[in-house]
Amino acid sequence: MAHALAIPAAVRGAAMPPEVAGQIGKSGRLPGGGPAGRAPLVRAVRTKQPDLRRIASAWHERFERDRHAAMAELVSLVLVVADVPSHSDVARDDVQDREPGDVVQQLVASLALEASEKGADFTQHWLVSRERGAQRVRENYPVLWREIASTSSCESLLEGLLQLLRDWTLALAECQFRSVRHAASVAALHIVEGLGVQCNSLSEFCGTAAMQIRDAEAQGASSRFATLSAEHEQATRTMQSLAAARDAMGVALLSRRTKDVDPEVRRSCFEAFRRWASADIETFLTQQWTRYLHFGLSDRDPKTRAAVLSALEELLKDNPSVAPHAIQGLVEHIRPRILARCHDVDPQVGAAAIRCTAAIAARNLLGEEEFDPVIDLVWDPDARRSTEAASFVTRFVLSEDVIDYPTSGLSAGHLLPAGSSGGAARRKVMMLLQFLGEYTEGHFQLVDRLVASLWKRASCLEDWETIANLALPGGEHALTGNIHTALVHLAEATVRLAAHDVASDNGSAHAEAVLDRAARALSARLPAFFTACQSEPAAMRRAASLYRHILGHCSARRNQGGAGAFCDGLLAGPQGEAAAEALKTAFMRQPDPDTLEYIAEAFAYLLDLSERARPVILDLTGFLHEKMMKLVPMLSGEAVTADVPPADALLAVATRLRILAKAVDVSLCQVRSFLGAALGLLDDRADAVARGYQPATGPLLAVTLLELLVIVLMRHAAALIQPDPLPHCVVHDPINQKELKELTLTAARDFCKVAAELLQSDPVPHVRTAALATAIALLTSWANAVRFTEASRADGLGASPEVPWLQLDDQLAVALCSHMGELLTEANGVPPDCGNFAALPEPGNPKHTSAFSLVFASVHQALTSAMGNGAGEESTSYVMSDSEKVRMAALACNLVTACQHPDVADSNLPAVVLTQALSNRDDLQEVAWMLLKRLRKEAHMQTDSASVFFKVLMHAVHMVHRDGGVEVASDLSVRLLQHTGVGKLALGMQVALIAALQAGVQTAIMAESSPGFLEALVPWVTKHIVDDALLLELAAWVEAEGPSFASSGADDAAAAQLEAAGVPAFLAACRATAARGERQTAAVPLPSMPALGEAAPDTPEAGAETPGADEQSGGGQEDCTAMYVADEEHLANAGACAPAAAAKEAAPTPARRAASTTTPAKEQKRRRVGFASAARHPVGPARALAPNFSQH
């Protein structure tokens, strides 16, 4: 081996056929996947489903002809799988008459020398790699070694083959390189397994021979008796010899490798032990073997601990062939440690430990006092651990096992039959309820985890007739008290889990069948169900949630038609009216906000299912509407006497109206009176705060009114903008088109003004956050309504004669940016390892709770808690926790991400969000990437959107450059461009990027307050996502036109101004990037550089125009660089690069078009406000958003 190890692999492969040698790369891999090599065994391990028994037999034939060459082939196989390609070609002379240990030492020395010269990684090899072909190696390699040991004749094994296999594999298993050690250990473990197969085969032969010997003796067949006795004796001796050799090799292997530094090697040992025990459990129950499991329970690797517990489970399983006393000694030693592992930090280990505990309990070796630690794990939040604990409880705690589904489950959409064995189902449900009553101690929220662990496993949870008979009053088996509350929690948790599976399409056929059965049993019994739950608030909350899921499922199935048509008759006629009356009564009586939310959602579904429900819901709405209108004057001071405090009464009514507004228009389309009254209360608060008075409208009432108003305005906008046909969300609302046309837009504008005043002056941060969320949400919904209307018009589904447009005025834009800066400043001040918020909703995804709802849920919770502690109007009374700061900031950015209103896109808000790419918090970086992803997707669809995309990016870089300097702005450019694209952009995107760079050049030169700005734009060029010809044309344009932008006419002064702006560095970057790029030679015409004032050409990828694009643009296309150009005074005052004026006007109305022709003084003022100047900001936007500029 000494000379062989020094020979390069290329020389050894010189005799290889060309068609094979050409497949082998320097890394020892084939192009198609798998290790390279021409040896039969190497080809076998990389082949899909090879006949390994035949391959092993062929190797035995080669061994009989030349044992040294055959052993060299096995050593080569180990080295190939260990991924040592430079030393994998082992020849016959390398192993003949040499000690395996000496060969391994030579191998280690050679590998160490090579690694010191070239470097090497011995942690990744074919047994752990994820490369293509590695899975086949992991499957075939161990089986091949087992077949070599199990298919050999016993005589051949005992005459020298076994000794050679043992010596070489154990020697290689001592190699200092872990890849070789791992491959050799796996080989040796499977040789032991193959020997076990031989021993079991001989044991069966001996048993059969013993029976035949007894028969021959009884028959007096002496000759046959003698022959059988000799064969039996020979087989027994051979079996004993093989068993001794197996045990010696196995012990030698486990004694070293179970303590190996590589966790993969240790895990392989214990996994092999489990297989050995499965084949011959009595042998491996002895102390000689089980001692390795004792210290394996304390292994630092969780996968290894799980493998140890799996091996113990195999030993402890209820096997009648094993004597009880053989198990008892083992259990006495390991039981405490197994019970401790049930609470292991790794859930997979804990689940394996619970299975071992169940095996111990099955042998009656677990004391009653040792049950409770396992039972408590039913409430564990991890599904793996709680599922195993639930199985333990149903087997050993309950008097009857409730798990009756087969392990493989049923076919999709099928359930176990219900009703035929109602007594059995009732008995099982009662056992579960008694268990809950004893172990939850009234904390019935834990029922969710028990149901999750029994989902699709216990049919008693799906027998809804039985559950209804137990839950409804008046029945023979009706329940009351805490056990009834537990039953309601059990039913609601089951329905909620099924509804979740339907929404996520996770086993939805089974879940739909469960919900269908629940709808048939419970939908018409809603009044009785609510009557049974009304005295217990917890039960009522779950009952309301139960019926919102059932009614939601019925509504969805009704819309599907076909198999779901049965839902039409469940709540038709009097049943629907009775259900509405029951929900109405509960809505008026229940104080819990969650219960009210669930009932309102049930109302929304019931409106689709029953025509008779609408009058009932409108009657409830009218009652609350009238009550609010009476309370508003009392709060304003016009009335001085009242039975209850007006503020408390108004808050209760407004809360119910806010919740009910999600189902129906609670204003009854009385825009002037209802919205005017609510807006008046908010305006009074803003005015009182501005004057320094104590406002009559408290913070919680103000937040409630803000949410109520924006929901109502959203409904009015949908009904106004798309009147025919009405959107489904408002089809059940009372509609007054005259009132909507005359007052909705005015009310929305007034709301924006009030929101701006609250953002500027309210002392409570939660009120300001609510004003921000409602303003952005209203603008988003208005823009969406316009888009949907234009889409309907294009499809010929309907049209409106005029589309009113809600604009974002300058006052609100500045206020929004200011408060957004405050939120992000506080969030970035939280340490990165604290207050993480990972549940950021995806905008537009109906399966996710919206950011708007999450914001108001957090705000209501925080204000309720603060007011409970006696907080007043002082801002110091509403201090937010770290997690709340991060949550609010992330959700506010998410609202901006979802908003496609043109005025919002032209404001500072998107650029502010994009600056979070510099944040040291991953959750805030994620909001920037979400917005960038949306803008990039739109840019690939429309030319105008491509211009907007790069405009927003340029704006963000300019903001950071103004506050943080060139270095930080350059870092932001790098981060943003990394998420812009890979390779060359599409033609339209390239032209839009060049236009943005042109605008950046003009801004950098004209604005003397932006020194070095072009240096911050160098990454836009060096990213090399634009064709080289365009870069060279841009450089030529900068050289030609740059001096004309300088404010000074003198040549020297102009040159100095260009140098200060960073023009030389920018030109050098353009030329250097173009020079290193490969010029295209294909006959594809390159686009010419668009001159100033020219629009970018349409791209082949561009889709349909933006809805209303013609009206918004006023019939013309504005200069894409003019978006950034502004006069010197403007830039000095505003300190930003992009004016508030959009590339095209957003609304088709005359008032909107007239706004673009204002006087110069008004235009200058409008621009300053739109830029969100530093003077108007309490904190500079970019500095507030990325405060750690010194770190970059």
Side-chain angles (χ1 to χ4, degrees):
M1 189 80 173
H3 65 279
L5 292 173
I7 299 176
V11 176
R12 289 176 172 260
M16 187 178 298
E19 64 274 11
V20 178
Q23 297 289 322
I24 302 177
K26 295 180 179 180
S27 60
R29 280 138 174 81
L30 290 180
R38 56 174 178 162
L41 299 184
V42 176
R43 291 200 301 267
V45 298
R46 68 173 181 241
T47 303
K48 184 178 181 180
Q49 297 179 349
D51 187 352
L52 294 176
R53 181 174 292 273
R54 181 181 59 82
I55 293 170
S57 299
W59 181 87
H60 284 299
E61 294 175 2
R62 294 195 295 274
F63 180 82
E64 293 296 332
R65 293 193 300 268
D66 188 344
R67 63 172 51 195
H68 298 299
M71 291 307 302
E73 191 177 354
L74 289 180
V75 175
S76 295
L77 177 64
V78 172
L79 297 179
V80 167
V81 173
D83 202 9
V84 189
S86 60
H87 297 78
S88 60
D89 194 4
V90 180
R92 179 183 187 279
D93 296 339
D94 298 331
V95 300
Q96 184 177 3
D97 300 329
R98 299 197 63 192
E99 290 295 327
D102 296 339
V103 175
V104 172
Q105 289 181 4
Q106 177 71 27
L107 173 67
V108 170
S110 180
L111 287 175
L113 179 61
E114 181 181 340
S116 65
E117 295 176 351
K118 303 179 181 179
D121 181 10
F122 294 99
T123 61
Q124 294 297 315
H125 50 90
W126 289 108
L127 294 180
V128 297
S129 174
R130 294 185 179 180
E131 295 182 49
R132 184 178 179 182
Q135 182 63 32
R136 293 181 184 176
V137 175
R138 283 193 290 270
E139 294 172 355
N140 296 334
Y141 176 75
V143 179
L144 177 60
W145 285 95
R146 186 184 63 200
E147 292 297 332
I148 287 175
S150 62
T151 58
S152 175
S153 64
C154 298
E155 292 78 9
S156 178
L157 285 171
L158 296 175
E159 289 175 0
L161 173 59
L162 180 56
Q163 187 63 37
L164 287 173
L165 292 173
R166 172 193 166 103
D167 292 345
W168 278 103
T169 55
L170 291 184
L172 289 168
E174 295 291 334
C175 181
Q176 296 178 12
F177 293 95
R178 64 173 60 190
S179 62
V180 178
R181 196 167 62 248
H182 189 186
S185 298
V186 170
L189 291 168
H190 284 80
I191 288 174
V192 174
E193 186 175 344
L195 294 176
V197 174
Q198 292 268 30
C199 291
N200 289 340
S201 178
L202 289 172
S203 176
E204 293 176 1
F205 174 81
C206 290
T208 303
M211 295 175 58
Q212 293 177 350
I213 289 172
R214 288 195 296 269
D215 292 342
E217 185 179 11
Q219 296 172 4
S222 57
S223 174
R224 183 167 175 264
F225 175 81
T227 301
L228 289 172
S229 297
E231 292 178 356
H232 180 270
E233 183 178 353
Q234 178 64 27
T236 302
R237 285 196 302 268
T238 302
M239 180 182 66
Q240 292 173 351
S241 299
L242 287 178
R246 176 199 63 186
D247 295 350
M249 185 174 180
V251 169
L253 191 62
L254 294 182
S255 63
R256 299 280 294 172
R257 301 282 68 84
T258 54
K259 305 169 188 174
D260 196 281
V261 68
D262 187 357
E264 294 290 338
V265 175
R266 301 197 303 271
R267 181 162 61 92
S268 298
C269 290
F270 292 117
E271 289 175 348
F273 189 98
R274 181 186 61 81
R275 295 192 299 271
W276 301 347
S278 177
D280 189 1
I281 189 170
E282 288 188 282
T283 297
F284 295 96
L285 270 174
T286 61
Q287 178 65 20
Q288 177 187 15
W289 298 99
T290 57
R291 59 181 177 177
Y292 301 110
L293 300 177
H294 291 182
F295 57 78
L297 283 171
S298 302
D299 195 279
R300 58 185 176 274
D301 179 58
K303 293 183 179 179
T304 303
R305 295 197 300 273
V308 172
L309 289 164
S310 296
L312 284 170
E313 181 187 1
E314 192 66 37
L315 291 175
L316 297 172
K317 67 181 182 180
D318 193 7
N319 190 336
S321 65
V322 180
H325 66 272
I327 294 288
Q328 190 168 0
L330 174 64
V331 171
E332 291 296 331
H333 287 87
I334 65 172
R335 181 173 55 208
R337 302 175 69 182
I338 289 179
L339 289 172
R341 283 298 164 202
C342 292
H343 299 266
D344 193 278
V345 66
D346 187 87
Q348 182 180 359
V349 177
I354 295 173
R355 290 194 296 270
C356 285
T357 306
I360 295 174
R363 291 182 171 274
N364 296 321
L365 296 177
L366 192 68
E368 290 187 7
E369 69 281 359
E370 295 170 322
F371 276 59
D372 287 345
V374 182
I375 295 173
D376 291 340
L377 294 174
V378 172
W379 324 121
D380 193 88
D382 185 82
R384 290 168 290 183
R385 204 184 325 242
S386 62
T387 298
E388 295 297 336
S391 300
F392 178 89
V393 167
T394 59
R395 288 181 61 189
F396 305 109
V397 177
L398 303 182
S399 57
E400 183 180 354
D401 193 347
V402 303
I403 297 177
D404 48 7
Y405 270 104
T407 306
S408 58
L410 299 177
S411 57
H414 289 77
L415 308 177
L416 288 179
S420 58
S421 56
R426 182 172 61 253
R427 186 170 63 252
K428 292 178 180 180
V429 171
M430 290 301 299
M431 285 191 297
L432 290 174
L433 295 177
Q434 291 170 4
F435 170 77
L436 291 171
E438 181 176 353
Y439 286 94
T440 60
E441 298 178 353
H443 300 287
F444 293 124
Q445 300 88 338
L446 298 173
V447 173
D448 298 353
R449 295 176 183 175
L450 177 63
V451 171
S453 61
L454 295 177
W455 175 242
K456 296 183 182 179
R457 303 173 71 199
S459 64
C460 62
L461 297 179
E462 302 162 357
D463 194 334
W464 290 101
E465 284 296 336
T466 297
I467 293 175
N469 292 333
L470 292 172
L472 298 177
E476 180 183 357
H477 305 285
L479 303 177
T480 58
N482 286 339
I483 195 170
H484 179 268
T485 302
L487 175 65
V488 176
H489 279 74
L490 194 74
E492 189 273 340
T494 304
V495 168
R496 175 158 38 88
L497 190 58
H500 177 270
D501 280 3
V502 171
S504 60
D505 200 22
N506 179 23
S508 58
H510 179 94
E512 285 185 349
V514 172
L515 290 173
D516 286 346
R517 187 180 286 180
R520 291 187 179 94
L522 295 177
S523 57
R525 300 175 177 176
L526 188 151
F529 204 99
F530 273 30
T531 300
C533 299
Q534 62 183 352
S535 61
E536 177 55 48
M540 192 64 198
R541 185 186 310 116
R542 291 300 181 112
S545 179
L546 168 70
Y547 272 95
R548 66 160 174 153
H549 288 302
I550 291 178
L551 295 179
H553 174 70
C554 290
S555 177
R557 295 288 272 176
R558 178 177 181 270
N559 295 331
Q560 291 174 1
F566 73 92
C567 292
D568 289 339
L570 293 178
L571 290 168
Q575 293 87 352
E577 184 178 4
E581 290 288 352
L583 290 170
K584 171 186 172 183
T585 302
F587 192 82
M588 293 302 300
R589 292 181 178 178
Q590 295 299 319
D592 181 62
D594 289 338
T595 305
L596 298 179
E597 292 278 2
Y598 299 150
I599 294 175
E601 188 174 347
F603 272 140
Y605 297 130
L606 190 59
L607 284 169
D608 287 340
L609 295 169
S610 175
E611 295 181 358
R612 295 195 181 186
R614 188 172 186 271
V616 177
I617 297 173
L618 291 180
D619 181 65
L620 171 64
T621 302
F623 172 79
L624 293 172
H625 179 281
E626 182 181 357
K627 192 170 184 180
M628 178 177 172
M629 299 305 296
K630 291 180 179 179
L631 289 170
V632 169
M634 300 173 66
L635 187 65
S636 302
E638 298 178 16
V640 295
T641 60
D643 298 334
V644 295
D648 295 343
L650 185 57
L651 177 60
V653 175
T655 298
R656 283 173 167 76
L657 284 172
R658 169 185 67 83
I659 294 172
L660 189 59
K662 300 174 183 179
V664 70
D665 177 17
V666 296
S667 72
L668 300 178
C669 210
Q670 298 176 15
V671 181
R672 186 186 303 276
S673 59
F674 185 83
L675 297 186
L679 284 170
L681 292 176
L682 292 175
D683 190 52
D684 290 345
R685 175 179 174 84
D687 184 66
V689 168
R691 295 171 179 269
Y693 299 153
Q694 181 72 21
T697 304
L700 186 56
L701 178 57
V703 169
T704 302
L705 290 174
L706 282 169
E707 187 178 3
L708 169 62
L709 282 171
V710 78
I711 293 174
V712 171
L713 284 172
M714 286 178 184
R715 306 184 77 93
H716 288 174
L720 169 66
I721 298 172
Q722 189 179 344
D724 185 25
L726 280 174
H728 184 265
C729 59
V730 296
V731 72
H732 298 292
D733 289 352
I735 303 297
N736 185 337
Q737 284 295 336
K738 180 180 179 181
E739 189 93 353
L740 291 176
K741 290 179 180 180
E742 293 177 354
L743 298 173
T744 298
L745 184 58
T746 302
R749 289 170 177 167
D750 291 344
F751 178 85
C752 290
K753 292 179 182 178
V754 172
E757 293 174 358
L758 292 174
L759 280 166
Q760 292 173 338
S761 61
D762 201 285
V764 181
H766 296 87
V767 175
R768 298 198 299 272
T769 301
L772 179 143
T774 51
I776 296 178
L778 181 58
L779 292 168
T780 302
S781 63
W782 204 284
N784 290 341
V786 172
R787 286 173 178 267
F788 296 152
T789 302
E790 296 296 339
S792 299
R793 177 186 300 174
D795 294 339
L797 300 179
S800 57
E802 182 180 356
V803 179
W805 192 258
L806 177 64
Q807 303 173 17
L808 172 63
D809 61 26
D810 298 334
Q811 180 187 10
L812 180 58
V814 172
L816 289 173
C817 289
S818 177
H819 187 63
M820 181 71 78
E822 294 175 7
L823 290 175
L824 291 170
T825 300
E826 294 181 349
N828 279 294
V830 177
D833 56 344
C834 300
N836 293 319
F837 179 61
L840 201 63
E842 180 182 351
N845 190 337
K847 298 179 182 179
H848 294 176
T849 303
S850 67
F852 178 82
S853 298
L854 292 175
V855 166
F856 274 94
S858 300
V859 168
H860 281 293
Q861 182 179 2
L863 287 178
T864 302
S865 176
M867 294 182 66
N869 296 329
E873 289 293 333
E874 300 81 8
S875 59
T876 56
S877 302
Y878 300 91
V879 178
M880 293 189 291
S881 63
D882 287 347
S883 60
E884 189 179 359
K885 293 176 182 177
V886 176
R887 180 185 179 90
M888 288 297 187
L891 291 174
C893 292
N894 193 262
L895 287 170
V896 176
T897 299
C899 184
Q900 296 185 350
H901 194 288
D903 290 356
V904 174
D906 293 336
S907 71
N908 288 333
L909 285 172
V912 166
V913 175
L914 287 181
T915 59
Q916 292 310 293
L918 292 174
S919 175
N920 56 359
R921 298 189 58 86
D922 292 339
D923 40 20
L924 292 183
Q925 287 187 32
E926 183 61 27
V927 300
W929 306 140
M930 289 183 68
L931 175 58
L932 188 64
K933 178 181 177 182
R934 195 211 89 197
L935 294 174
R936 185 180 66 235
K937 181 178 179 181
E938 294 174 356
H940 282 283
M941 298 174 63
Q942 296 172 341
T943 302
D944 294 340
S945 298
S947 300
V948 172
F949 173 59
F950 289 108
K951 168 194 168 182
V952 174
L953 266 60
M954 182 71 69
H955 194 172
V957 173
H958 192 278
M959 290 175 65
V960 173
H961 174 266
R962 182 191 61 203
D963 286 345
V966 175
E967 184 178 354
V968 183
S970 179
D971 187 11
L972 179 61
S973 290
V974 171
R975 299 190 184 198
L976 294 178
L977 268 293
Q978 285 176 345
H979 289 74
T980 299
V982 178
K984 294 294 188 289
L985 296 177
L987 175 61
M989 293 279 285
Q990 292 188 38
V991 174
L993 188 147
I994 293 295
L997 288 175
Q998 282 183 305
V1001 170
Q1002 295 184 40
T1003 301
I1005 298 174
M1006 295 176 63
E1008 297 180 358
S1009 60
S1010 301
F1013 177 54
L1014 288 183
E1015 297 179 16
L1017 299 182
V1018 167
W1020 291 51
V1021 175
T1022 57
K1023 177 67 174 174
H1024 209 184
I1025 54 180
V1026 177
D1027 189 76
D1028 299 332
L1030 287 177
L1031 289 178
L1032 293 175
E1033 290 189 29
L1034 174 64
W1037 178 85
V1038 173
E1039 282 188 326
E1041 302 292 336
S1044 65
F1045 301 134
S1047 59
S1048 176
D1051 294 341
D1052 294 341
Q1057 189 172 349
L1058 293 176
E1059 184 174 359
V1063 171
F1066 185 79
L1067 290 175
C1070 289
R1071 293 195 173 98
T1073 303
R1076 76 169 186 265
E1078 296 181 0
R1079 297 185 178 276
Q1080 297 181 355
T1081 58
V1084 178
L1086 296 176
S1088 60
M1089 183 60 218
L1092 289 178
E1094 291 183 1
D1098 292 336
T1099 65
E1101 295 85 356
E1105 291 212 23
T1106 305
D1110 293 337
E1111 294 84 356
Q1112 294 173 12
S1113 62
Q1117 178 74 26
E1118 199 173 30
D1119 179 3
C1120 62
T1121 61
M1123 297 183 293
Y1124 306 94
V1125 180
D1127 54 41
E1128 179 181 351
E1129 180 185 358
H1130 171 204
L1131 289 169
N1133 291 333
C1137 67
K1144 53 185 180 178
E1145 290 296 329
T1149 58
R1152 177 68 176 180
R1153 288 193 290 270
S1156 63
T1157 59
T1158 55
T1159 63
K1162 290 184 178 181
E1163 176 66 13
Q1164 185 69 20
K1165 178 180 179 182
R1166 183 184 66 80
R1167 286 185 175 183
R1168 283 200 296 270
V1169 174
F1171 273 108
S1173 63
R1176 302 278 308 264
H1177 276 287
V1179 183
R1183 194 180 303 281
L1185 307 181
N1188 300 318
F1189 284 128
S1190 60
Q1191 299 177 3
H1192 295 278

